[in-house]
Amino acid sequence: MDAVNIALELAVQDPAGVRIAREVGAARVELTQALALGGLTPSAAALELALAAAGESGPEIHVLIRPRAGGFHYDADEIALSVRDVELAVQAGAHGVVVGALDAAGNLDLDAVARLRDAAGEASVTLHRAIDVTADPVATLDAVIGLGLGRVLTSGGASAAIDGVETLRRMVEVADGRIEIMAGSGVNAAGAAAIAATGVDALHFSAKRTVTAGDSGVRMGSASDGVGGYEVTDRDAAFAMRTALGL
């Protein structure tokens, strides 16, 4: 897919981020919380307000379902929690969910992902970057396609998508239109065009900046006190992505 036609997905944590996604013309947002931890399931109130911010003509709201940080191998209780979170998100109006789980050997947990898919009903289902920590993301893609998911978010197995462009290109070839390939992880304006050139269907990015105590002029404690800096969506960084892609 050429850059002009590529879809944008913005990872956001709040209604303000949704409004920026709407301004920048993103097709979707991934609604999450705790991006600094890789993203966790957002609250019901966050979803309600995100949907309101998107409105009828704004981006689709896709909810990240991740019960905790620290890897993607979940026990029975965590899978059950995730299944229920999927059900509740879809019932509340989410257009889709973003899910993933690995088994004890580090392979895609087909049974768990199938349960999460089924819980979503007719809503769109994206496999998140759990695929990037499997031994062979390209081989795993065939299993994802077999599950009938709508898209996969991947960095091509690298820490940052710009370093995984060759694998991303291979994944696009293997997908052959059967599933959308969305590149994510460290995607910014500097590397956007090169990643888009792999033929991926979409780019996933966060365009975030950190707000620190000094920004408000109020003296705060350290991050270990729970009152350190926090991340917000940066409008200028989001629009820089559009410019880099010639949109």
Side-chain angles (χ1 to χ4, degrees), residues 36-90:
L37 300 177
L40 299 174
T41 307
S43 71
L47 173 55
E48 179 183 348
L49 295 178
L51 288 164
E56 292 294 327
S57 60
E60 292 186 356
I61 307 297
H62 292 236
V63 177
L64 176 66
I65 305 297
R66 189 177 178 217
R68 57 157 172 79
F72 305 114
H73 178 220
Y74 303 119
D75 64 24
D77 287 336
E78 291 167 330
I79 294 296
L81 174 63
S82 297
V83 166
R84 187 59 181 142
D85 275 334
V86 168
E87 293 170 342
L88 292 173
V90 173

